[in-house]
Structures are given as structure tokens and as C-alpha cells.
């Protein structure tokens, strides 16, 4: 296990300065986070570097409950004096905003906890030229196809070091690393002039550079398939609107899970805390244990523990140990996602460890863990699911998404959409978007693939909160079949 | 700090632009007539752009404790981030030097007005609870002082302050909801009472409900809705992506659609860093490798028309792309849509002239479905109202739509008076906007939602 790294004076001394000040002021709760997030973004267009950015954000944030209100303050300086001053500012804010709920769900104390995400090679340890060389090589490979006009490749790498301490005595030092290479191939049919774009499906993952070398994703196979798939997309025929059976590849379904299940089961939404911006949810806290969310084939788990999960940690930003739990079992809602405040407010007993802040300057909020649909033991393969469809569409890769403020009425599109006729794929379709409502859609779940079809995908730019905070989360799922879903053609004048 | 970075670069023989941002923000959130979260955050960010020697630029940013060691390291990081490929001949460096004004200290921290604002808000909670209303929202104050300097002699400073109110008022039973977004320079200028009064009026429209089907409607879009759509259009107007053939502004067969009429109505979309009430940086500040070119750092910005009386005139791009004969100008941090002659009145006056249509008050969850046509999908939010015979008759269900902002412009039948507004999907990078209400014919609603 590697040692964690976080710059500045000894972290305990900084945290002690903040917590001692909070104790002296008589606050009921206080925590301190010292965080350094390094992120790099590389853009390569047709093999040439178009941009390279390397950003390191460091700061200290304190959160207090004082005199009936919550307050938060952050400073850039990592000095004991600045840490203590931040507490004073947070207390000033707590005084100004009284009427808060002081109850926090109880959590054991974890003194001197440490946790490091598993990876072999830290991508920041590689020279820039090596990183560029991989993207340029991949781009050149795609550009060999005559119909590929342009290839734009991006590489995102992040290293997050966090030190958390609170008045109860928990201290947690953690390090997370993640990477996400993605290529966009823009094509033109030389005969028809039709244009289309295709994005690689390799997801963001909490791995190191070894991910680009094939550990966790077969880049070689995907790059080999892109030119042919793009050529087929250029020849795609417009979809006829109607109701279809949809077979979904995990590379597509993960985003539907994220939007319809992940966000719908956030307890702060259920309590109305996000109503003005991110929105609410059709789920009410009292629905746990009774709400029919989907068909009996639907089993959804949440966790902050799965290997290489983007939301995986040892401890959350309220010092809660990571865990896993069920959100939906046999199609019935069985749980929500909590931080310590929502767990106390709803009587959930214990936080599920979902408090997260993007940086030291952000207030922790309940954020989505890894949320995944379980495969069916002995379930069918993707081919078998397709073979059982008389007239349908097979969707691969995520694209545009949009859902209402109740997390109920939605529309999704895909990277590639294949017509299914008589159990066989029959060319790509253009303009496919499916619409529905969350419970109706999951109620139409008719087939769940076996473990062999399972794949893990995810989002590394999920936005929520004000000021807006970005978080990363993974979603695993098998291939699935949904019956009779409404499909519109976005290419027509009035879809 | 900036001079330290320039010295460190000089010692390495590296040409750089250094940008220091002193940022201070204060915010408060509330839900169900109670405070939820709040925060005060100060931050200091130094961005170094390494340039020259025929190589692509590299950008490195560090925030937090900016020690001399950290500054030296970030200069080295920027240098290391440079690519190995050939870089086209860059434009000449900007060398404007503001002289004495350059060294002035940063603006005062943003937190000062928050306690007073919170007290006003607490009073609103009590009023709302008494009226069976539930308040949800967010307010923030930000100040940013930016210093831009370069090895070539550039020295520029910019200071800005902004505040916003994002306010949702619902009936406590959750069956009616309205939204108001306003902007100002200071928190103290945000009028909570006016926002609440407007919300109460619109909540009254929910007393009668009608369910309406999907289909084409004449719609009245509030300035906020128009801002969300025009910001998407502005973002898509990237000259480089257009030349790659990737945007709606790419011409078939290559080149751009500049000179083409996009809207029959004489609407003008422009940016002006000195627009009263919407002031933004009067020179380019490119902290990354996005639409704004790092070679243009410090470049003076002036009023720029993107769409001139309905005709696409200019795309967004730096001097490098413009040098290739592309009609492009650097990005500016505000956006204004206006009708010739100043428009035909307020939103209320547009309502009064409506025989039958839908009043859409805000948009939400806009996502790009097809970049080549700029087709967006999205939803209406917190209030769609049926207008008949010049009056709002009832609230109706939210709708999903699939539409392009260009298609919306092409269908504009009437534009009102331009006013400052907050786009509902605002974020930290959202430019300041002023938009008119629009009457749009044949707006296709694709699906209905049961959200409130």
C-alpha cells in the first residue's frame, strides 16, 4: 500500500488548531477537512496536442454547529492561525443562519484511519510525452480509416488527498486516483456527405495508468471496432417512432440507472433540500419498504466499497466508514442514500456514508455512491436477450440524457442504436430517443442478463448542489431487456 | 506572486503568462423555510501558461498556499505540460501595461453582507410559513480580482463583484411552484420582497389547472428561458470546432455559415464588456485551453456582434483562428439579445396580446442531442401557464421538448424589451445575460411530465 501525500505543515497540527478553537467556542459539532486535488486534462486533436492543463487545488474547510445553526468556512492558507480563523468565520455564519437541525446519526470513532485506492501506476508519475504518445497513437490508428475525418482525444487524471478530523476523535487520511481517456471520432461518408460522431465507451475508473494498458478495459478491441461502427452509423436509417422492446448494453444502461435510481434515492432530495436547483424526487422517505420501484427482476445495490469504483472511499466527508446496502430488492424500494443529517432526520439509524465535497472549499452534501443493478445468476447472455426480441432496438453507449425534477419523466439517447428484427441485429438506426417514467420503465424490465454480461461504467462529472459540485460515481449492470418502451425520432421536426 | 512566477520563468528561459485570481465567495441555501447549508470560501489561484519556441502551450494552476516553492513548481509544471508537436505561428503577444493601477490590492472579501441578507431571509421564512408557502433557494456573493502579466510586458488587473438569487416558492402541499432568478452586483441589492411578490402572483395562477397534450404551441418564453437557449448557442459558436465541421455553424462542404440569415426577425446577439449592469473583464483572460486562446491573454475586448439583425456575423475564436480568414472574435463574459428598436414591451404586454399560447417561465435539464443541428432536449420547470385572450387562465403540466435554439430564433414572432436575467441552468462560468421575452410560433412539446 502506498503512502498518502498531502502537502503543507503536519495535518494533525492544522486540524488541532481548528478543532481546539471550535471546542473553546463551545460548538456542538466541528470537523476539519484539508484537501489537495490534482487534476490534469490533456486534449489531442488528430494526434497533435491542443491543450494540456495541470491543476492543483489545496485548502482547508471547517464545518461547525454552533448556537443552533450550521456554518462552513474555507481558507487557502494551511496554517494553524488560518485554521482557527476559519472556525471563527464559520461560527459567524452559524449565528447568522439559526434554526438548523443539530441531530447527526451516530457513528463510531475511527482514530488514525488511513485508506488508499488500489492502483499500480500513478498517472501523474508518467512524463507528459508518454501520455501524449498513447493518445496520439490511438488517434492515428483511427485516422487510418478513410471515412474518419477528425479524432479528438482527451485524458483526464485526478489524484485526491483528503485529511478529515472531527471533535469526536476520528481522523482519516485518504488518497484516491482515477483516470478517464476518451476519444471522439468524427466521420463523413464520402458518397452521401452524411456526418456522424462516435465516442469510445471505456469508462472513467479508479485505476492508475495500467487502465490505458488494458487493465479493466480492452482498448485494443474497442479501437479496432470504432471505424467499422462509425461507418455503420453514417449509413444509419431514421427510426420509425413507436413502442419497442429495448435491449440495453451495460455501456448504455448505467446512465439510466444513475438518473432514475441513483438520484431518485438521495435522501436530501426526498426531504426537499435540493428542490430549488437539482430538484426533488418522486420517492418519499416513508416509501422505504413499500414502494414498487420496478419489476421483481430489479435488484439495485449501493456501495462505497467496490474495487475501482469512482465513489469508493474508506471514510466519507463526515467520518463515516464506507459500506454497501440495497436500494431496491425484488423491485421494492428498500433503502436511501444518507449522510449523517438525513439519516437522523428520517430515522434511518445510521448514515450510509454518502457525505462528499468536491474540494476543501465546498460544503459536504449527500452524494451518490456506486449504484449498480445486479446480474441474474444463470441469466442469459446479450445474444440470447436479442434473440428473444421480434421487433426492437439494441442500445450501446450513453449519449444525451434529461430527466424532470421528480426524477420520473426522462429521455435518453445512445451512441449506437441497432434495429432488432426477428431476433437479429439489422443495421443502425438514427434519431433514436426513448422516453418514459421511472417506475413504468423499471416495471417493464423483462430480462436481466447473467454475470458474463456485467460491466461497470460511470460518471466523473456529476453535478449537484449550489455552488455546483462535481462528483464521480460508478454503475455496474448487466445487459437487460425492457418491454414496450416509447421511442421518438429526434430527427423529425416535431418529435 | 505573479512577479515571482515571471522571475521563475525567466530563470528557466521560459516565456509565460501568469494569472492570479483572488476569489472570495459567500453563499446561503434554504429549503422548506429553513436554512440548510452556507459557506464562506476564500481562494487564491495562480495559473501559469508556458508559451513559445514553436511548441503547444502548457497550462498549470495551483490554488491554496502559494509559497515561493509552489510558484516555482507550478512554472515547471506548465513548462512540462507543453506538447512536443509543432505549433502554428502564434499572434504577437499583448503588452498592455496599466502602470500604477496594476498593483492595487484585491477587492474586499464577499462575506460582509451575508448576515444581513440571512436576517432578511429569516423574516421571509416567517411570512411564507404564515401564507402556507415554502421557500427554497440559494443566494451568493462573489468577488474576484484578476491580475494578468506576461514575460512580454503585459500587466492588467480586473475586479468584479456579482450576486445572484435563485428562489423557488412552492405551496406547502407541493402542488404549485414558481421560480425567480435575479442578479445584482451586491447581495444587498437583491430584492427578496419583489421576488416573493412575483412568486405569489404566479402561485395565484395555479388555482385553476388544465391538462394539455403534446403538440405544437405558440409559446411566450421569459428572458431566463431565452438566456438558457442563447448560452447554448453561444457555446456552440466555437470557430475551431466549426471549422472541424462539428457544430451547427459549419457550412456543408467546409467553412462556416457566417453571413447566413438565421432568423427572419431583426434580432441581434452581442457581447460588450462595458454593458452597464453586465460589466465583465474588458480583456481576454484565458486560464485554460478552451474557447479563449491563451495567446490572447490581455487582449482588449470591445462590443462584438455574434448575430446581427438575424444574420450570423461572428464566431467565437481567438486571433489565431481569425488570422485564417474566419470571421471570429474572442469570447466575452456577457451575452445580450435584443430586438431592433428595443422590443415591443414587457412580458406582461406580450401576454396581453396573446390569443392562445403557453407562458413558459423557466427551462431545465437542457442537453445536447445532436451537435450538428444543435438539437437540445429539455423540460419546462416551475410553471407553464395557459394564456387565452390576453390573460393567464390556468397552470398546466410541464413539457419535454426537443428543439434547437436556431429553430427557436427562426420562429420568433415578437420580441419584448431586453432586461438582465439569470439563466436557470447557471453555474460559475455563466456569463452575465440580458434577454427579451420572446413569442415563438409552433414550439413542439414532445412529452408531458407529472412534476410540479
Amino acid at each position: 500500500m502506498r503512502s498518502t501525500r498531502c502537502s503543507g505543515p503536519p495535518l494533525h497540527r492544522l486540524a488541532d488548531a481548528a478543532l481546539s478553537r471550535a471546542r473553546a467556542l463551545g460548538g456542538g459539532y466541528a470537523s476539519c477537512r484539508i484537501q489537495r486535488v490534482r487534476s490534469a486534462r490533456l486534449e489531442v486533436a488528430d494526434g497533435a496536442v491542443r491543450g494540456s492543463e495541470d491543476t492543483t487545488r489545496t485548502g482547508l474547510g471547517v464545518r461547525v454547529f454552533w448556537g443552533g445553526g450550521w456554518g462552513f468556512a474555507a481558507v487557502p492558507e494551511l496554517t494553524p492561525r488560518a485554521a482557527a480563523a476559519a472556525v471563527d468565520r464559520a461560527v459567524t455564519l452559524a449565528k447568522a443562519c439559526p434554526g438548523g437541525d443539530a441531530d447527526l446519526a451516530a457513528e463510531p470513532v475511527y482514530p488514525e484511519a488511513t485508506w488508499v485506492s488500489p492502483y499500480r501506476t500513478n498517472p501523474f508519475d508518467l512524463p507528459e510525452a508518454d501520455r501524449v504518445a498513447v493518445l496520439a497513437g490511438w488517434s492515428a490508428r483511427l485516422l487510418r480509416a478513410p471515412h474518419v475525418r477528425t479524432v479528438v482525444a482527451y485524458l483526464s487524471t485526478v489524484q485526491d488527498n483528503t485529511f478529515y478530523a472531527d471533535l469526536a476523535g476520528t481522523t482519516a487520511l485518504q488518497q484516491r486516483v482515477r483516470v478517464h481517456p476518451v476519444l471522439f471520432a468524427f466521420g463523413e461518408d464520402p458518397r452521401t456527405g452524411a456526418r456522424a460522431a462516435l465516442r469510445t465507451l471505456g469508462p472513467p475508473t479508479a485505476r492508475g495508468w495500467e487502465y490505458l494498458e488494458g487493465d479493466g478495459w480492452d482498448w485494443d478491441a474497442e479501437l479496432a471496432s470504432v471505424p467499422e461502427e462509425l461507418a455503420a452509423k453514417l449509413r444509419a436509417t431514421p427510426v420509425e417512432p413507436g413502442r419497442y422492446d429495448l435491449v440495453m448494453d451495460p455501456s448504455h444502461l448505467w446512465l439510466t440507472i444513475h438518473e432514475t435510481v441513483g438520484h431518485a434515492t438521495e435522501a436530501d432530495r426526498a426531504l426537499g433540500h435540493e428542490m430549488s436547483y437539482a430538484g426533488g424526487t418522486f420517492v418519499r422517505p416513508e416509501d422505504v419498504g413499500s414502494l414498487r420501484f420496478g419489476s421483481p427482476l430489479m435488484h439495485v445495490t449501493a456501495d462505497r466499497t467496490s474495487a475501482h469504483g469512482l465513489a469508493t472511499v474508506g471514510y466519507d466527508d463526515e467520518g463515516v466508514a464506507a459500506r454497501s446496502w440495497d436500494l431496491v430488492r425484488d423491485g421494492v424500494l428498500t433503502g436511501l442514500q444518507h449522510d449523517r443529517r438525513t439519516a437522523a432526520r428520517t430515522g434511518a439509524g445510521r448514515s450510509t456514508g454518502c457525505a462528499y465535497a468536491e474540494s476543501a472549499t465546498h460544503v459536504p452534501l449527500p452524494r451518490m455512491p456506486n449504484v449498480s443493478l445486479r446480474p441474474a445468476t444463470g441469466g442469459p447472455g446479450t445474444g440470447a436477450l436479442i434473440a428473444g426480441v421480434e421487433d426492437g432496438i439494441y442500445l450501446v453507449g450513453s449519449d444525451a440524457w434529461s430527466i424532470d425534477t421528480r426524477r420520473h419523466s426522462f429521455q435518453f439517447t445512445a451512441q449506437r442504436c441497432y434495429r432488432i428484427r426477428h431476433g437479429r441485429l439489422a443495421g443502425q438506426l438514427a434519431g433514436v430517443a426513448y422516453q418514459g417514467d421511472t417506475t413504468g420503465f423499471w416495471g417493464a424490465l423483462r430480462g436481466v442478463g447473467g454475470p458474463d454480461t456485467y460491466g461497470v461504467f460511470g460518471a466523473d462529472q456529476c453535478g449537484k448542489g449550489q455552488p455546483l459540485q462535481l462528483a464521480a460515481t460508478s454503475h455496474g449492470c448487466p445487459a437487460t431487456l425492457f418491454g414496450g418502451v416509447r421511442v421518438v425520432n429526434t430527427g423529425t421536426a416535431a418529435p | 506572486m505573479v512577479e515571482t512566477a515571471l522571475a521563475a520563468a525567466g530563470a528557466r528561459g521560459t516565456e509565460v503568462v501568469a494569472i492570479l485570481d483572488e476569489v472570495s465567495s459567500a453563499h446561503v441555501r434554504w429549503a422548506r423555510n429553513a436554512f440548510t447549508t452556507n459557506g464562506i470560501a476564500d481562494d487564491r489561484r495562480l495559473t501559469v501558461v508556458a508559451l513559445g519556441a514553436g511548441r503547444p502551450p502548457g497550462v498549470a494552476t495551483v490554488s491554496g498556499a502559494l509559497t515561493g516553492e509552489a510558484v516555482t513548481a507550478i512554472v515547471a509544471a506548465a513548462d512540462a505540460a507543453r506538447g512536443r508537436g509543432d505549433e502554428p505561428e502564434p499572434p504577437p503577444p499583448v503588452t498592455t501595461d496599466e502602470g500604477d493601477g496594476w498593483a492595487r490590492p484585491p477587492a474586499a472579501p464577499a462575506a460582509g453582507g451575508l448576515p444581513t441578507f440571512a436576517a432578511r431571509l429569516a423574516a421571509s421564512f416567517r411570512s411564507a410559513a404564515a401564507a402556507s408557502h415554502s421557500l427554497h433557494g440559494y443566494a451568493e456573493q462573489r468577488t474576484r480580482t484578476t491580475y494578468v502579466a506576461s514575460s512580454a510586458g503585459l500587466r492588467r488587473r480586473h475586479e468584479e463583484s456579482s450576486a445572484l438569487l435563485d428562489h423557488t416558492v412552492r405551496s406547502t402541499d407541493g402542488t404549485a411552484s414558481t421560480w425567480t432568478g435575479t442578479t445584482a452586483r451586491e447581495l444587498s441589492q437583491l430584492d427578496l420582497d419583489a421576488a416573493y411578490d412575483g412568486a405569489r402572483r404566479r402561485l395565484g395562477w395555479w388555482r385553476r389547472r388544465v391538462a394539455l397534450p403534446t403538440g405544437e404551441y405558440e409559446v411566450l418564453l421569459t428572458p431566463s428561458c431565452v438566456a438558457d437557449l442563447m448560452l447554448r448557442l453561444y457555446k456552440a459558436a466555437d470557430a475551431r470546432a466549426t471549422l472541424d465541421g462539428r457544430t451547427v455553424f459549419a457550412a456543408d462542404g467546409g467553412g462556416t455559415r457566417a453571413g447566413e440569415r438565421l432568423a427572419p426577425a431583426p434580432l441581434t446577439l452581442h457581447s460588450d464588456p462595458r454593458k452597464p449592469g453586465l460589466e465583465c473583464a474588458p480583456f481576454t483572460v484565458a486560464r485554460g485551453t478552451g474557447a479563449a486562446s491563451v495567446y490572447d491573454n490581455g487582449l482588449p475586448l470591445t462590443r462584438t456582434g455574434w448575430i446581427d439583425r438575424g444574420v450570423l456575423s461572428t464566431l467565437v475564436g481567438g486571433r489565431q483562428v481569425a488570422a485564417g480568414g474566419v470571421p471570429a472574435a474572442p469570447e466575452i463574459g456577457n451575452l445580450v439579445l435584443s430586438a431592433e428598436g428595443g422590443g415591443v414591451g414587457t412580458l406582461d404586454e406580450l401576454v396581453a396580446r396573446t390569443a392562445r399560447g403557453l407562458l413558459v417561465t423557466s427551462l431545465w435539464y437542457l442537453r445536447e442531442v445532436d451537435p450538428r443541428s444543435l438539437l437540445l432536449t429539455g423540460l419546462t420547470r416551475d410553471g407553464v401557464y395557459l394564456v387565452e385572450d390576453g390573460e393567464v387562465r390556468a397552470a398546466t403540466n410541464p413539457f419535454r421538448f426537443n428543439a434547437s435554439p436556431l429553430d427557436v430564433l427562426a420562429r420568433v414572432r415578437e420580441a419584448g424589451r431586453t432586461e438582465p436575467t439569470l439563466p436557470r441552468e447557471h453555474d460559475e462560468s455563466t456569463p452575465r445575460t440580458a434577454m427579451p421575452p420572446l413569442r415563438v410560433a409552433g414550439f413542439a412539446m414532445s412529452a408531458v411530465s407529472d412534476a410540479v
Side-chain angles (χ1 to χ4, degrees):
Chain A
M1 188 167 279
R2 289 164 182 78
S3 64
T4 54
R5 287 176 289 177
C6 203
S7 62
L11 301 170
H12 282 83
R13 189 158 62 89
L14 287 170
D16 284 349
L19 298 178
S20 297
R21 180 64 180 160
R23 193 177 290 113
L25 292 173
Y29 168 89
S31 65
C32 173
R33 269 183 312 113
I34 302 159
Q35 193 166 5
R36 188 186 71 172
V37 181
R38 185 178 179 190
S39 57
R41 183 174 176 276
L42 177 64
E43 179 181 353
V44 173
D46 292 338
V49 174
R50 185 174 272 183
S52 177
E53 300 171 26
D54 187 337
T55 300
T56 303
R57 300 184 66 184
T58 307
L60 179 150
V62 295
R63 186 174 169 225
V64 303
F65 187 79
W66 194 96
W70 288 91
F72 175 85
V75 291
E77 298 90 358
L78 298 186
T79 65
R81 186 174 172 179
V87 172
D88 290 347
R89 299 182 79 188
V91 166
T92 300
L93 210 45
K95 285 181 191 172
C97 302
D101 188 347
D103 291 341
L104 294 180
E107 182 69 12
V109 171
Y110 309 99
E112 302 293 337
T114 62
W115 185 84
V116 181
S117 70
Y119 62 89
R120 285 208 305 273
T121 305
N122 188 327
F124 288 102
D125 290 343
L126 266 75
E128 175 84 352
D130 290 10
R131 291 187 276 189
V132 171
V134 169
L135 295 193
W138 288 1
S139 301
R141 189 170 161 182
L142 298 183
L143 286 164
R144 281 200 288 270
H147 59 284
V148 177
R149 274 172 50 114
T150 298
V151 175
V152 183
Y154 300 92
L155 174 65
S156 168
T157 53
V158 178
Q159 178 179 327
D160 181 336
N161 294 86
T162 304
F163 178 74
Y164 170 88
D166 61 30
L167 276 180
T170 289
T171 65
L173 181 62
Q174 304 186 83
Q175 174 169 293
R176 298 200 290 168
V177 167
R178 66 176 193 263
V179 295
H180 186 202
V182 62
L183 283 79
F184 292 82
F186 299 91
E188 181 172 357
D189 188 312
R191 187 175 52 82
T192 65
R195 290 180 179 178
L198 201 60
R199 173 177 58 76
T200 51
L201 305 181
T205 183
R207 287 179 165 85
W209 186 255
E210 62 275 8
Y211 180 59
L212 282 84
E213 296 170 335
D215 188 353
W217 188 255
D218 191 343
W219 290 101
D220 190 55
E222 174 156 40
L223 292 168
S225 70
V226 166
E228 185 181 341
E229 298 290 358
L230 180 59
K233 192 170 183 176
L234 289 166
R235 297 191 301 269
T237 54
V239 68
E240 189 66 34
R243 288 195 175 272
Y244 291 88
D245 291 345
L246 303 182
V247 176
M248 298 195 185
D249 188 77
S251 61
H252 174 80
L253 182 64
W254 73 267
L255 183 54
T256 309
I257 293 171
H258 177 91
E259 302 295 345
T260 62
V261 185
H263 282 308
T265 53
E266 292 170 325
D268 58 337
R269 285 178 183 269
L271 289 168
H273 292 176
E274 286 290 332
M275 194 61 78
S276 189
Y277 186 67
T281 170
F282 66 94
V283 171
R284 301 168 302 168
E286 58 268 32
D287 288 337
V288 173
S290 59
L291 175 71
R292 169 60 62 185
F293 206 109
S295 88
L297 299 175
M298 182 188 188
H299 309 284
V300 179
T301 59
D303 77 82
R304 299 203 71 183
T305 59
S306 56
H308 308 298
L310 292 166
T312 298
V313 291
Y315 303 86
D316 79 352
D317 285 343
E318 289 182 330
V320 175
R323 53 183 285 201
S324 64
W325 67 103
D326 283 351
L327 292 173
V328 178
R329 198 180 306 136
D330 302 322
V332 175
L333 179 76
T334 54
L336 299 175
Q337 307 159 39
H338 289 288
D339 66 1
R340 293 177 68 179
R341 282 174 79 178
T342 65
R345 176 75 68 90
T346 60
R350 187 180 171 193
S351 166
T352 54
C354 289
Y356 173 82
E358 178 187 328
S359 77
T361 63
H362 290 90
V363 187
L365 300 170
R367 297 307 302 264
M368 199 186 302
N370 307 306
V371 173
S372 302
L373 179 72
R374 286 211 322 250
T377 303
T382 306
L385 287 171
I386 291 171
V389 172
E390 181 62 21
D391 187 5
I393 300 172
Y394 173 46
L395 300 123
V396 178
S398 58
D399 199 7
W401 70 101
S402 179
I403 189 165
D404 72 8
T405 53
R406 292 184 72 218
R407 294 282 148 182
H408 210 232
S409 174
F410 61 73
Q411 175 175 303
F412 291 93
T413 65
Q415 287 293 315
R416 308 194 306 259
C417 305
Y418 302 85
R419 183 75 193 271
I420 304 173
R421 292 289 288 162
H422 312 305
R424 293 175 178 273
L425 299 185
Q428 287 197 35
L429 295 168
V432 174
Y434 64 92
Q435 299 179 337
D437 64 86
T438 295
T439 46
F441 173 77
W442 285 104
L445 178 64
R446 291 186 188 164
V448 176
D452 288 350
T453 71
Y454 191 80
V456 179
F457 295 82
D460 53 2
Q461 301 279 319
C462 174
K464 184 181 172 187
Q466 289 177 301
L468 187 69
Q469 297 192 43
L470 299 180
T473 174
S474 289
H475 302 285
C477 51
T480 46
L481 168 63
F482 293 84
V485 180
R486 182 186 183 216
V487 170
V488 299
N489 184 344
T490 59
T492 59
Chain B
M1 204 67 66
V2 168
E3 299 292 357
T4 303
L6 295 180
R12 298 174 61 92
T14 304
E15 203 178 311
V16 298
V17 175
I19 304 166
L20 178 69
D21 289 300
E22 294 275 0
V23 183
S24 178
S25 65
H27 77 268
V28 60
R29 298 185 82 188
W30 56 97
R32 300 170 78 165
N33 300 334
F35 296 107
T36 52
T37 61
N38 55 50
I40 302 169
D42 292 342
D43 204 1
R44 184 175 300 130
R45 301 172 197 161
L46 176 66
T47 299
V48 175
V49 184
L51 304 160
R55 288 167 56 193
V59 180
T61 300
V62 64
S63 76
L66 297 183
T67 61
E69 185 184 342
V71 172
T72 303
I74 208 68
V75 171
D79 208 8
R82 301 170 72 194
R84 300 285 172 198
D86 291 334
E87 177 74 351
E89 183 66 27
V94 181
T95 57
T96 310
D97 187 341
E98 291 184 5
D100 293 343
W102 151 259
R104 280 181 290 138
L114 199 58
T116 304
F117 184 83
R120 289 163 52 203
L121 199 50
S124 290
F125 296 161
R126 290 188 289 273
S127 303
S132 295
H133 293 157
S134 180
L135 306 187
H136 306 250
Y138 170 77
E140 70 169 28
Q141 167 83 61
R142 286 177 184 276
T143 63
R144 179 196 293 267
T145 307
T146 301
Y147 301 85
V148 185
S150 76
S151 312
L154 173 70
R155 299 288 187 278
R156 298 213 68 169
R157 176 188 184 279
H158 176 68
E159 183 179 310
E160 64 188 29
S161 173
S162 62
L164 69 83
L165 171 65
D166 182 329
H167 201 33
T168 298
V169 182
R170 297 169 66 83
S171 60
T172 49
D173 63 4
T175 58
S177 187
T178 73
W179 177 81
T180 304
T182 56
T183 59
R185 185 176 162 78
E186 307 285 347
L187 272 179
S188 60
Q189 297 165 341
L190 295 172
D191 193 339
L192 267 172
D193 292 338
Y196 187 34
D197 287 346
R200 273 192 296 216
R201 177 185 177 221
R202 291 192 298 280
L203 282 174
W205 294 343
W206 287 76
R207 279 193 285 270
R208 181 165 174 254
R209 319 282 175 95
V210 293
L212 291 175
T214 60
E216 291 192 2
Y217 291 90
E218 176 179 291
V219 299
L220 301 176
L221 298 176
T222 61
S224 172
C225 298
V226 178
D228 272 316
L229 295 172
M230 290 304 104
L231 282 171
R232 294 286 175 156
L233 188 151
Y234 188 42
K235 186 181 173 190
D238 182 291
R240 198 165 51 179
T242 298
L243 291 175
D244 284 346
R246 292 189 271 135
T247 80
V248 70
F249 300 109
D252 292 337
T256 78
R257 294 172 62 188
E260 186 176 320
R261 177 162 292 283
L262 302 177
L267 296 167
T268 293
L269 185 70
H270 80 278
S271 300
D272 182 351
R274 302 189 194 285
K275 177 82 175 173
L278 301 177
E279 293 90 347
C280 59
F283 56 89
T284 293
V285 184
R287 301 178 183 84
T289 52
S293 168
V294 292
Y295 294 114
D296 292 339
N297 267 306
L299 190 72
L301 298 172
T302 56
R303 186 191 186 284
T304 303
W306 312 109
I307 297 174
D308 185 11
R309 293 167 47 82
V311 175
L312 178 65
S313 58
T314 313
L315 298 170
V316 182
R319 289 178 295 165
Q320 220 170 9
V321 66
V326 180
E331 186 180 43
I332 296 172
N334 62 23
L335 194 63
V336 180
L337 183 71
S338 54
E340 194 172 39
V344 288
T346 64
L347 178 63
D348 282 349
E349 289 168 329
L350 262 65
V351 168
R353 288 196 291 271
T354 301
R356 189 172 193 273
L358 299 180
L359 170 58
V360 177
T361 54
S362 74
L363 304 181
W364 183 243
Y365 227 118
L366 296 170
R367 291 292 183 275
E368 202 169 81
V369 175
D370 179 9
R372 284 278 298 152
S373 61
L374 197 55
L375 180 71
L376 307 177
T377 191
L379 294 137
T380 64
R381 181 172 178 180
D382 292 319
V384 181
Y385 306 99
L386 174 64
V387 179
E388 288 178 327
D389 302 324
E391 289 186 13
V392 175
R393 298 291 185 189
T396 187
N397 39 270
F399 289 97
R400 169 171 299 288
F401 56 87
N402 286 286
S404 161
L406 269 70
D407 189 44
V408 171
L409 284 180
R411 293 171 181 269
V412 169
R413 297 295 178 264
E414 201 172 28
R417 193 167 63 219
T418 294
E419 60 185 67
T421 189
L422 179 69
R424 183 78 193 259
E425 293 208 318
H426 65 84
D427 60 29
E428 285 185 45
S429 64
T430 296
R432 296 147 169 82
T433 58
M435 300 283 152
L438 295 179
R439 183 190 306 281
V440 180
F443 192 97
M445 299 299 188
S446 162
V448 298
S449 156
D450 58 4
V452 173

